Amino acid sequence: NAGVTQTPKFQVLKTGQSMTLQCAQDMNHNSMYWYRQDPGMGLRLIYYSASEGTTDKGEVPNGYNVSRLNKREFSLRLESAAPSQTSVYFCASGQVYEQYFGPGTRLTVT
Amino acid sequence: KQEVTQIPAALSVPEGENLVLNCSFTDSAIYNLQWFRQDPGKGLTSLLLIQSSQREQTSGRLNASLDKSSGRSTLYIAASQPGDSATYLCAVNPLGRDMRFGAGTRLTVKP
């Protein structure tokens, strides 16, 4: 039982490049989330998926897209990376308002 | 809009001291409140979850309280140890909306 896993752990991109962050959970949760964490600002919700086949915008969705591939997997895509997207990205899964977090992906955009 | 504030931003205490971390939120219409621990370069580990109908939750040396009417929660750590050094995050679940996090309190417990 691995919980929530994320790949990659670290990534450096150049401005304008694209990439996809992967997330998977093995807890059979319906809901999955993507957050970003910036210094002094706490975690902010980018997108969430309440169930397989549905996605909704969170607080800071601009510049991102998501795909809920199946119940286990929820990916986050940066189509054209910008320096403002330098952050630590966390995926979470949960149900009934309790969330479990992955280890995070540290992304740097130069 | 729900705002979550944690004070202080950083705290340094000697080993063995009892301490209190504070969390305040602006909208009392919450489903629950959760305290997390985050170690440097790591993800979030849930410590305690308090439902809106509860006043407190305890786990070992940790005790979390919730006062919805005043928009406050506290995390009490008894007999602090160097292994308690981490950032502690408070998060509220507003009814029907996404979770909102505070910026965290960075705790250092000195041997």
Side-chain angles (χ1 to χ4, degrees), chain A residues 35 37 40-43 45 48 58-59 90 96-99 101-104 106, chain B residues 1 31-32 34 36 38 41-44 49 89 93 96 98-103:
Chain A
Y35 293 89
Q37 185 178 34
M41 299 190 70
L43 277 75
L45 185 67
Y48 67 99
E59 186 181 358
F90 288 100
V96 198
Y97 299 107
E98 185 170 5
Q99 296 182 22
F101 286 78
R106 189 173 296 273
Chain B
K1 178 184 175 184
Y31 188 81
N32 62 33
Q34 201 165 355
F36 293 89
Q38 185 178 27
K42 303 292 184 181
L44 279 66
L49 183 147
L89 297 167
N93 262 312
D98 51 82
M99 186 180 278
R100 296 282 173 160
F101 284 81

Side-chain angles (χ1 to χ4, degrees), chain A residues 7-52:
Chain A
T7 56
K9 290 187 178 180
F10 301 94
Q11 184 72 48
V12 178
L13 290 178
K14 294 185 177 179
T15 298
Q17 288 185 317
S18 63
M19 78 161 296
T20 301
L21 281 64
Q22 306 287 352
C23 174
Q25 54 98 2
D26 61 4
M27 295 175 282
N28 202 36
H29 289 156
N30 288 322
S31 300
M32 296 186 73
Y33 309 82
W34 276 106
Y35 293 89
R36 60 178 289 172
Q37 185 178 34
D38 300 296
M41 299 190 70
L43 277 75
R44 292 180 293 169
L45 185 67
I46 304 171
Y47 270 93
Y48 67 99
S49 170
S51 63
E52 184 179 353

Side-chain angles (χ1 to χ4, degrees), chain B residues 33-101:
Chain B
L33 183 144
Q34 201 165 355
W35 281 94
F36 293 89
R37 170 184 172 137
Q38 185 178 27
D39 293 290
K42 303 292 184 181
L44 279 66
T45 301
S46 180
L47 297 173
L48 291 164
L49 183 147
I50 311 177
Q51 301 292 350
S52 62
S53 58
Q54 297 175 318
R55 297 283 294 184
E56 64 179 332
Q57 280 286 338
T58 298
S59 175
R61 295 183 292 109
L62 305 180
N63 176 276
S65 68
L66 174 64
D67 184 342
K68 269 198 345 176
S69 61
S70 66
R72 291 184 178 183
S73 177
T74 61
L75 179 66
Y76 175 83
I77 302 177
S80 59
Q81 303 170 358
D84 295 329
S85 297
T87 296
Y88 291 81
L89 297 167
C90 163
V92 298
N93 262 312
L95 290 171
R97 299 195 56 186
D98 51 82
M99 186 180 278
R100 296 282 173 160
F101 284 81

